[in-house]
Amino acid sequence: MFAYILRRILLMIPTLFGIMLITFTVTQFVPGGPVERMIADLEGASGAGEVSASTTIYQGSQGLDAERIAQIKAMYGFDKPPVTRFLSMMKNYLVFDFGQSYYHHQSVVNLVISKLPVSMSLGLWTFIIVYSTCIPLGIKKAVRDGSRFDVVSSTIILVGYAIPGFVLAIVFIVLFGGGSFWNIFPLRGLVSDNWAELSLMSKILDYLWHMVLPITASTVGSLAVMTMLTKNSFLEEIRKQYVLTARAKGLSENQVLYHHVFRNAIIPIITGFPGSFITAFFTGSLLIETIFSLDGMGLLAYESILNRDYPVVLGTLYFFTILGLISRLLSDLSYVLVDPRITFDGRE
């Protein structure tokens, strides 16, 4: 087991390096980088005359001189060869020094930390609701396969799956956000403006009140996949020979289901648990965040790409790639934890 884990960790290094190298190379050919944007802003600052601070920056239609352009490139580090910049970037990334954001003018680490509460609120609640709802629902659907309950519940969750989350969010706003119908839930932010003045219980209720609509909109679409996965996994196990043998021995249906079927059927569901749990903390939904005015990781990622904010794009990619690789390793290890029949000893 230890040798397998060590090999997987060693394989993460070239994988991470390759992903960062490809992304860095692509950014070198994308037009409209930070240097070009600043030059365009300076050249567009005035249609005529002279614009200056302490030194001359722009003079009429002559544009920027070569010296000023060189200074701008040096300010962003683009005066160095791409190979040198990439190696320097990776050296800093080893100690999680992601630099400063070009667009927000603050540390990338502090910027990400400031956006995490929104993404964690959406992701973690969605994760908890999906797993706590879909597993018991899927089990019940498997036990009552073909019944009216199974057909009706499948229809409802598939309809919910077919409706995009952002469409559902707009419907919620129209119905419950004070539009044409009821003014029940707030439409922006995680908390109210007077949140600091509220008591502890009032703060909790205020936070939950704000999160009802965005969490519901982001959760509905995920229910179908996990529910049907659970149902099909349990249904496959229920039809196996050992279940008939257990029933023939006089075991009750609950004993058969939870003592024999459950530990085998839950394997494909539990093995995705580590990755889903880690992802829930750091991912964001651009459309949901935009519709409900939530400033989270989804909106940050979109703005960073749009504004060519390379430190944020590459820094967050580095961090999330590490998390993704670790979650894949944890998912593989979870197979051994939930099913003793699986072992990595044969690979060593």
Side-chain angles (χ1 to χ4, degrees):
M1 174 70 74
F2 177 78
Y4 173 77
I5 296 175
L6 181 60
R7 284 201 303 269
R8 286 291 300 270
I9 293 176
L10 292 177
L11 284 173
M12 291 180 186
I13 298 175
T15 303
L16 178 62
F17 185 86
I19 292 174
M20 296 304 301
L21 178 60
I22 293 173
T23 307
F24 180 85
T25 303
V26 170
T27 60
Q28 305 308 301
F29 299 98
V30 175
V35 174
E36 290 81 0
R37 289 176 67 90
M38 175 166 280
I39 292 175
D41 290 342
L42 293 175
E43 290 182 343
S46 175
E50 181 177 337
V51 177
S52 63
S54 58
T55 58
T56 300
I57 296 179
Y58 174 81
Q59 296 182 358
S61 60
Q62 298 177 6
L64 296 178
D65 54 57
E67 181 180 356
R68 175 55 64 180
I69 294 177
Q71 292 176 359
I72 295 174
K73 289 183 178 180
M75 180 176 66
Y76 288 109
F78 284 86
D79 57 327
K80 301 175 183 178
V83 175
T84 303
R85 286 189 283 119
F86 176 75
L87 294 178
S88 176
M89 180 189 75
M90 292 303 296
K91 180 181 178 181
N92 293 332
Y93 282 9
L94 289 176
V95 294
F96 294 95
D97 179 10
F98 301 133
Q100 299 285 322
S101 167
Y102 295 156
Y103 182 72
H104 296 276
H105 306 293
Q106 61 175 299
S107 168
V108 173
V109 174
N110 293 335
L111 182 62
V112 171
I113 291 175
S114 67
K115 308 295 183 182
L116 279 181
V118 171
S119 298
M120 290 176 63
S121 295
L122 286 174
L124 190 57
W125 279 113
T126 300
F127 171 83
I128 293 173
I129 292 173
V130 167
Y131 269 83
S132 61
T133 302
C134 294
I135 292 179
L137 178 60
I139 294 174
K140 189 171 183 179
K141 285 173 63 63
V143 173
R144 301 180 60 179
D145 180 48
S147 65
R148 178 177 297 180
F149 169 80
D150 181 39
V151 174
V152 173
S153 59
S154 295
T155 303
I156 294 175
I157 63 175
L158 290 177
V159 169
Y161 178 74
I163 301 176
F166 71 93
V167 174
L168 195 60
I170 295 174
V171 172
F172 286 159
I173 288 177
V174 173
L175 292 178
F176 307 111
S180 303
F181 296 90
W182 303 281
N183 185 11
I184 300 176
F185 297 102
L187 301 182
R188 58 184 303 112
L190 287 177
V191 293
S192 300
D193 295 335
N194 63 336
W195 189 78
E197 303 172 1
L198 301 175
S199 63
L200 177 60
M201 182 56 65
S202 298
K203 287 181 178 180
I204 296 175
L205 294 176
D206 182 73
Y207 163 75
L208 295 176
W209 182 47
H210 280 75
M211 295 307 297
V212 169
L213 295 186
I215 289 175
T216 304
S218 61
T219 301
V220 170
S222 304
L223 294 176
V225 176
M226 184 59 64
T227 300
M228 299 310 295
L229 174 63
T230 304
K231 175 192 173 182
N232 293 334
S233 180
F234 274 81
L235 200 59
E236 181 181 358
E237 292 295 324
I238 289 174
R239 293 171 177 172
K240 289 185 176 179
Q241 185 65 39
Y242 73 88
V243 175
L244 296 177
T245 303
R247 287 171 177 167
K249 291 181 178 180
L251 297 179
S252 66
E253 286 299 318
N254 285 338
Q255 288 178 318
V256 172
L257 182 62
Y258 293 105
H259 292 177
H260 296 275
V261 174
F262 186 85
R263 62 183 180 182
N264 294 322
I266 205 68
I267 291 176
I269 301 167
I270 294 298
T271 50
F273 187 93
S276 300
F277 184 75
I278 293 177
T279 304
F281 279 91
F282 300 102
T283 57
S285 173
L286 169 62
L287 295 176
I288 297 297
E289 291 176 8
T290 302
I291 292 173
F292 291 101
S293 300
L294 300 173
D295 191 9
M297 291 299 300
L299 190 58
L300 175 64
Y302 174 74
E303 290 180 345
S304 300
I305 296 174
L306 195 64
N307 295 302
R308 307 294 191 268
D309 198 349
Y310 296 147
V312 177
V313 173
L314 295 172
T316 53
L317 175 66
Y318 177 86
F319 181 65
F320 292 148
T321 300
I322 291 178
L323 289 179
L325 293 172
I326 292 175
S327 66
R328 292 294 298 272
L329 175 59
L330 294 177
S331 295
D332 289 345
L333 296 179
S334 64
Y335 276 102
V336 179
L337 297 177
V338 300
D339 190 354
R341 296 171 299 177
I342 300 176
T343 177
F344 297 116
D345 294 337
R347 302 183 184 182
E348 300 177 1

